[in-house]
Amino acid sequence: MSISNNILHHIENFTAQRDKELLAFSLLKSIRNILTPVKASILTLNSKDEPTMEITLASSDKCRFNHKNIHLPPEIKKSIEYMNSWQLDEFVDAYDHQHVSFHLLKQSRQNAQYLVITLDKKPSKSENYIIKGMLSIYSNFSSLLIEAQTDELTGLMNRKTFEESIVKLYQKFDVEDDEHTEQSNWIAIIDLDHFKNINDNFGHLYGDEVLIHVSRVMQQTFRHDDLLFRFGGEEFVILMKNRGRKDCERVLEALRQNVQNIKLPNIDAITVSIGVCEFNDDVFHITLMDRADQALYYSKQHGRNQITFFDQVVAEGLAVESQVNAGEIDLF
Ligand SMILES: Nc1nc2c(ncn2[C@@H]2O[C@H](COP(=O)(O)OP(=O)(O)OP(=O)(O)O)[C@@H](O)[C@H]2O)c(=O)[nH]1
């Protein structure tokens, strides 16, 4: 394949992606294919410059997400610190006859993400040009994707993205993830209590402000790999991965309390009701959502400002585990 055809092929791959993780994966694949680096990775650091995630390509061509015990060699750490102190978007350094280039992919108050490419020779001018081109296509396309997946008011993911995320849970997403354990996944529906009163008493704009505060508290309470969605109106959905039941209960209780502690003028307390069910890949997602919804209904009917697990509702004989099985209806 000629170089230009090869590049066109990679651009085509980028623009076919509808998922941020797959887009990052596609970038790494393109870099590996074009530059044959010693190593290429996407590194995320938190606001204290501690590594929180490293995405690499495994030899099997699978995308590997590493969240724990990420080894950051001191020279890499130093180069990133140097980039930060001079607010550079790019930086190239050489250690042990290897050329390492750092490219800032995105930066926010919470974290920064870098593409780190290690080559055993200095990249040529044309290779540098290709990297730059790839990165601008990646960055433009990534902004478009983020915009399409985000709820405008709260900055959480939107309902359309929920459908895609839950499909991934069923398909077990083609990645190697070091955080994958035999722990459960959970679906929680969070609904603000008596939100209509807030709108009626203080106006819709004030209501919007409350939704923004609650979303921030959600972002602060959950882990980076928990997925937070605004489902519409004053209803939110959370997909929690790899947690035991106790841990799931603990974090939802923390959310309930954190929301109650939000201080806003004129309002005594904002509260939320929560319904939860365990994810089960033998059960169709519409059934799972219905289970979480029945648990939420129980919370609402029993005084609000509380968490109910679906199996509690079943144990009280108020619901049965009827289900539509995956495969019986083809909705995706
Ligand atoms: N400010 C604001 N309000 C919204 C938005 N979307 C929906 N709402 C309002 O959310 C309110 C939801 O009211 P209800 O469904 O009656 O629920 P509730 O008052 O929270 O009562 P419970 O859920 O039973 O505790 C309605 O007043 C909607 O107009 C939005 O984007 N912004």
Side-chain angles (χ1 to χ4, degrees):
M1 206 188 282
S2 72
I3 287 198
S4 54
N5 276 355
N6 193 11
I7 290 173
L8 271 180
H9 170 73
H10 289 292
I11 294 172
E12 195 188 328
N13 257 348
F14 272 9
T15 48
Q17 305 305 337
R18 293 289 175 272
D19 178 286
K20 282 179 282 178
E21 281 150 349
L22 291 179
L23 188 66
F25 174 45
S26 194
L27 174 68
L28 286 177
K29 249 180 142 175
S30 299
I31 295 289
R32 181 163 85 178
N33 191 288
I34 294 172
L35 298 175
T36 51
V38 176
K39 184 179 175 185
S41 63
I42 293 178
L43 195 62
T44 306
L45 304 184
N46 64 18
S47 54
K48 293 178 205 148
D49 277 348
E50 295 157 344
T52 54
M53 181 168 72
E54 183 179 44
I55 311 174
T56 48
L57 272 182
S59 50
S60 57
D61 226 18
K62 278 188 176 176
C63 195
R64 183 162 202 288
F65 287 83
N66 179 16
H67 302 274
K68 284 183 217 145
N69 309 321
I70 303 165
H71 173 63
L72 205 57
E75 59 275 15
I76 299 270
K77 205 167 182 294
K78 220 167 130 197
S79 297
I80 290 178
E81 277 166 10
Y82 180 83
M83 272 182 92
N84 286 343
S85 62
W86 290 96
Q87 298 191 337
L88 302 175
D89 288 346
E90 283 180 352
F91 181 61
V92 183
D93 214 341
Y95 352 92
D96 298 332
H97 308 293
Q98 292 191 328
H99 291 260
V100 187
S101 61
F102 299 83
H103 310 266
L104 182 65
L105 295 179
K106 72 170 194 218
Q107 191 158 37
S108 67
R109 250 190 294 161
Q110 291 94 17
N111 56 44
Q113 198 171 55
Y114 302 86
L115 169 67
V116 185
I117 309 170
T118 307
L119 295 168
D120 54 10
K121 59 174 179 45
K122 197 170 173 206
S124 66
K125 260 194 182 160
S126 67
E127 283 174 330
N128 271 331
Y129 185 72
I130 291 170
I131 299 177
K132 278 210 171 94
M134 285 287 170
L135 285 175
S136 8
I137 296 166
Y138 171 84
S139 147
N140 293 344
F141 202 66
S142 161
S143 310
L144 279 178
L145 262 188
I146 290 169
E147 212 177 293
Q149 293 180 340
T150 305
D151 172 62
E152 222 178 308
L153 180 71
T154 60
L156 303 184
M157 284 184 281
N158 55 27
R159 184 177 191 147
K160 188 177 132 273
T161 314
F162 172 78
E163 300 281 327
E164 291 158 11
S165 303
I166 197 138
V167 169
K168 264 205 253 168
L169 269 191
Y170 284 99
Q171 293 171 340
K172 297 205 173 69
F173 193 38
D174 190 23
V175 296
E176 289 176 11
D177 192 330
D178 69 338
E179 274 193 342
H180 181 78
T181 61
E182 292 311 309
Q183 304 263 44
S184 302
N185 300 321
W186 303 89
I187 300 177
I189 306 182
I190 322 276
D191 191 283
L192 269 71
D193 295 328
H194 299 305
F195 186 60
K196 188 172 178 305
N197 292 347
I198 296 178
N199 272 335
D200 290 350
N201 293 334
F202 308 111
H204 207 267
L205 276 182
Y206 195 92
D208 281 357
E209 204 51 42
V210 171
L211 292 173
I212 293 169
H213 276 275
V214 172
S215 311
R216 281 206 196 123
V217 163
M218 283 170 66
Q219 284 165 323
Q220 286 155 6
T221 307
F222 288 92
R223 270 189 341 218
H224 68 273
D225 62 332
D226 293 327
L227 304 177
L228 316 181
F229 305 87
R230 180 173 175 221
F231 230 50
E234 21 73 90
E235 191 171 88
F236 300 87
V237 172
I238 303 176
L239 282 182
M240 279 166 279
K241 295 196 213 154
N242 302 326
R243 286 181 187 274
R245 186 193 169 102
K246 277 223 167 83
D247 194 27
C248 170
E249 204 168 349
R250 179 196 55 75
V251 73
L252 289 172
E253 177 56 23
L255 175 72
R256 192 192 66 73
Q257 286 180 22
N258 292 344
V259 168
Q260 206 170 8
N261 290 336
I262 295 175
K263 297 274 175 277
L264 282 175
N266 305 322
I267 300 180
D268 286 342
I270 303 161
T271 62
V272 286
S273 294
I274 302 176
V276 202
C277 82
E278 187 173 352
F279 179 82
N280 176 343
D281 60 6
D282 289 331
V283 181
F284 196 45
H285 81 293
I286 290 176
T287 306
L288 293 175
M289 287 303 287
D290 180 59
R291 288 179 180 179
D293 206 43
Q294 287 189 56
L296 171 67
Y297 183 75
Y298 184 100
S299 289
K300 289 277 183 191
Q301 293 301 305
H302 290 78
R304 295 179 168 79
N305 191 20
Q306 60 188 279
I307 304 157
T308 307
F309 280 72
F310 177 70
D311 53 13
Q312 256 170 275
V313 185
V314 173
E316 291 199 19
L318 297 172
V320 283
E321 286 189 319
S322 62
Q323 63 175 57
V324 180
N325 292 315
E328 284 179 14
I329 300 180
D330 190 9
L331 276 190
F332 300 129

